[in-house]
Amino acid sequence: MSSAGSAGEVGQAGSAGAVGEAGARLRRLRDVHAGRGGADAPDLVYAGYVVVLLVLFIGVPLLLAAVRALSGDEVAGAVFSAAGERGLRIGVGGFLAAAAACGRVYGPVTPEPFFVTLLVGTDLPRALALRRPFLLATAVAAVPLATAGLVAGLTFLANGVLSGPGLVRFLAVVAAVIVLAAWLWLAGQVLPDRWAWVLPGVVLTLTGTGLLVPAADVPTPWGWAARAVVGHDGTAWAAAVLLVVTAGAAVVTVPVLLSATSGPRLRADAERRQITRTAAFSGEITVALDVYRARPGLGRTWRAVRGRPAPVRFLVRDLVAGARTPVRFSVGCLTLVVGLGLTAHAPGLLVAGAGSGLVYLALGVFSDGFRHAAQAGAGPPLYGVGVAELFVVHSLLPLTALLVTAVAVGGTGVVAAGLLLVAVRAYDSAKGPLPPILLTPVASPAGDLSSLNVLIWQADAALISVFCGAVIAVAQPVHAAVAATVIVALLLAGLRRRLHRL
């Protein structure tokens, strides 16, 4: 007994010594990286400055608008109801599936290429070497989510919708969902390519099954989250405990996932991150996003040109082109359904704005033809079809998807907002490179505000979609039709001017 105990103590001491030695080597590697200039202090300062501007000019107004919307009895009543519980199940399930899918595109462990070589090219345990990058990426993503949850909980507490214990349960649910999302984000990055979409697919399938059979998603994290928030009986605390225990179990398995990360995958992700970062810092957001655009992997032999009339020919062509990236196409269809559903049945302007933003993002899947039309307008005429006609025929697919989805979700009243969003997509397709004049320094007591000009120029289409789409969606039908007509006319005029500048 004494001998075994001594052997165990020696083994623990040896293990602790090995971990300490690995930690010391890891610190020396970080020192080498910092000495090489890897920390890149000026870039970090500039990134912090941009974040402060975003928080002041976008984050604070959105926060105030959210508090104003959540303070209304209508929104609180909608959230804490049977329909609200179902909506929470769908929302949390969709969020977790999106986290897993995001890991496939951009994982949480994505350091610089040189740092990847230092960390992965040695015998250091990856669970130790990659722990800091994972925690940093998780913290950056978790801070805005936790802030939104805290603001929502305090607002509900101030309105008397939540009690003190109810607020504790609400915040525990928010924290547990964030932890599970971070775990799925990492799992999505670690899984091999052929299994990468299985995880989000399973979560989405179970969430969708819960819509048809409500009892099916009761034993799931999103079912527990909805029950813990909306439940008014003793099962609410039981659901919260189950969710927190599940999140704790996920935390325990994080070192296993970090140890299973693939070196080639880390290097590929790091190289894409480097390209994206360089493009983003030079103001070329479109180039940065193109790095992560899905590549066609299906239907190489499909016949895309069918039909004699030009509208039918282009409609089939765009549909086949979209179907060649099936995951992107499916996500776009699902996002369009959710966005139009939110916009059509929004209890307030804030939710309608979120729905309009989702519809704008979803229409990107159906609007790739606009980029072809813009490129054709910038070059010599090769197709025997005018630029205006190209934009018209390429608008058939997004308009068809919009109308079919609007009928399916019972949101025909928001068709005017949808038409506006299609026009925004066409307007955005001819944006072109960043005008150099926007980089001219703008002196102010808060520093150089030229970054704000660049941000507004980059996000103009999204801002138009969120604000104008939401206003038109909640307006009276006559007012909505008039406003949509005027804004679409302005967008088409702007599109024509942009095409002349290309």
Side-chain angles (χ1 to χ4, degrees), residues 433-495:
L434 177 72
I437 193 172
L438 293 180
L439 299 175
T440 305
V442 179
S444 77
D448 182 11
L449 294 181
S450 60
S451 300
L452 190 62
N453 292 335
V454 175
L455 288 173
I456 293 175
W457 187 83
Q458 294 287 0
D460 60 348
L463 293 175
I464 293 171
S465 301
V466 171
F467 292 107
C468 296
V471 170
I472 291 175
V474 300
Q476 295 295 327
V478 176
H479 298 163
V482 174
T485 303
V486 173
I487 297 174
V488 168
L490 292 175
L491 288 172
L492 294 181
L495 171 62

Side-chain angles (χ1 to χ4, degrees), residues 41-444:
D43 286 348
L44 292 177
V45 172
Y46 179 76
Y49 173 70
V50 172
V51 170
V52 171
L53 286 181
L54 286 174
V55 170
L56 289 178
F57 290 97
I58 298 178
V60 172
L62 282 178
L63 191 64
L64 294 176
V67 170
R68 195 177 303 113
L70 293 173
S71 300
D73 294 336
E74 189 177 1
V75 174
V79 171
F80 293 91
S81 65
E85 182 181 354
R86 186 173 58 182
L88 281 174
R89 288 202 305 265
I90 299 171
V92 175
F95 173 65
L96 294 179
C102 184
R104 178 66 185 88
V105 180
Y106 186 91
V109 184
T110 313
E112 297 177 10
F114 178 69
F115 207 47
V116 170
T117 302
L118 284 179
L119 295 178
V120 179
T122 66
D123 61 343
L124 285 170
R126 292 186 183 177
L128 177 66
L130 300 179
R131 183 173 59 189
R132 179 181 287 188
F134 170 69
L135 292 178
L136 284 176
T138 302
V140 170
V143 166
L145 296 173
T147 303
L150 180 63
V151 170
L154 292 176
T155 305
F156 289 140
L157 178 68
N159 292 343
V161 180
L162 280 179
S163 61
L167 175 64
V168 174
R169 197 171 63 231
F170 181 85
L171 295 180
V173 169
V174 172
V177 169
I178 290 174
V179 170
L180 288 175
W183 187 88
L184 286 168
W185 189 18
L186 178 60
Q189 183 181 15
V190 172
L191 283 175
D193 288 346
R194 60 180 177 177
W195 297 104
W197 298 109
V198 171
L199 194 57
V202 168
V203 176
L204 277 181
T205 302
L206 292 177
T207 305
T209 305
L211 283 177
L212 303 175
V213 185
D217 60 1
V218 170
T220 59
W222 45 96
W224 297 333
R227 169 61 62 181
V229 172
V230 182
H232 299 286
D233 48 23
T235 58
W237 277 109
V241 170
L242 283 172
L243 186 64
V244 171
V245 170
T246 303
V251 171
V252 173
T253 61
V254 165
V256 178
L257 290 178
L258 290 176
S259 300
T261 49
S262 162
R265 173 66 195 276
L266 284 175
R267 290 190 182 90
D269 287 351
E271 290 170 358
R272 289 198 299 178
R273 172 188 182 272
Q274 189 77 6
I275 297 172
T276 303
R277 185 180 178 185
T278 303
F281 269 90
S282 61
E284 299 295 343
I285 301 298
T286 304
V287 176
L289 294 178
D290 279 345
V291 176
Y292 294 98
R293 186 180 294 277
R295 300 290 184 258
L298 181 71
R300 289 285 187 181
T301 59
W302 292 355
R303 183 181 172 189
V305 181
R306 291 174 181 269
R308 296 186 62 85
V312 177
R313 190 165 65 247
F314 278 88
L315 178 63
V316 174
R317 169 198 175 280
D318 289 343
L319 186 61
V320 171
R324 283 174 173 168
T325 53
V327 174
R328 177 174 177 260
F329 191 75
S330 302
V331 171
C333 292
L334 183 62
T335 306
L336 185 60
V337 171
V338 174
L340 269 181
L342 285 177
T343 308
H345 307 289
L349 195 62
L350 186 65
V351 180
S356 297
L358 288 178
V359 173
Y360 168 75
L361 294 176
L363 286 176
V365 177
F366 308 98
S367 305
D368 287 338
F370 287 150
R371 290 189 291 117
H372 163 249
Q375 292 170 359
L382 298 177
Y383 304 100
V385 182
V387 177
E389 187 179 355
L390 277 178
F391 272 98
V392 170
V393 292
H394 280 304
S395 68
L396 294 177
L397 181 60
L399 288 175
T400 303
L402 179 72
L403 293 175
V404 170
T405 309
V407 172
V409 301
T412 54
V414 296
V415 170
L419 295 177
L420 164 68
L421 298 178
V422 173
V424 173
R425 272 290 171 189
Y427 171 73
D428 188 57
S429 66
K431 174 171 281 185
L434 177 72
I437 193 172
L438 293 180
L439 299 175
T440 305
V442 179
S444 77

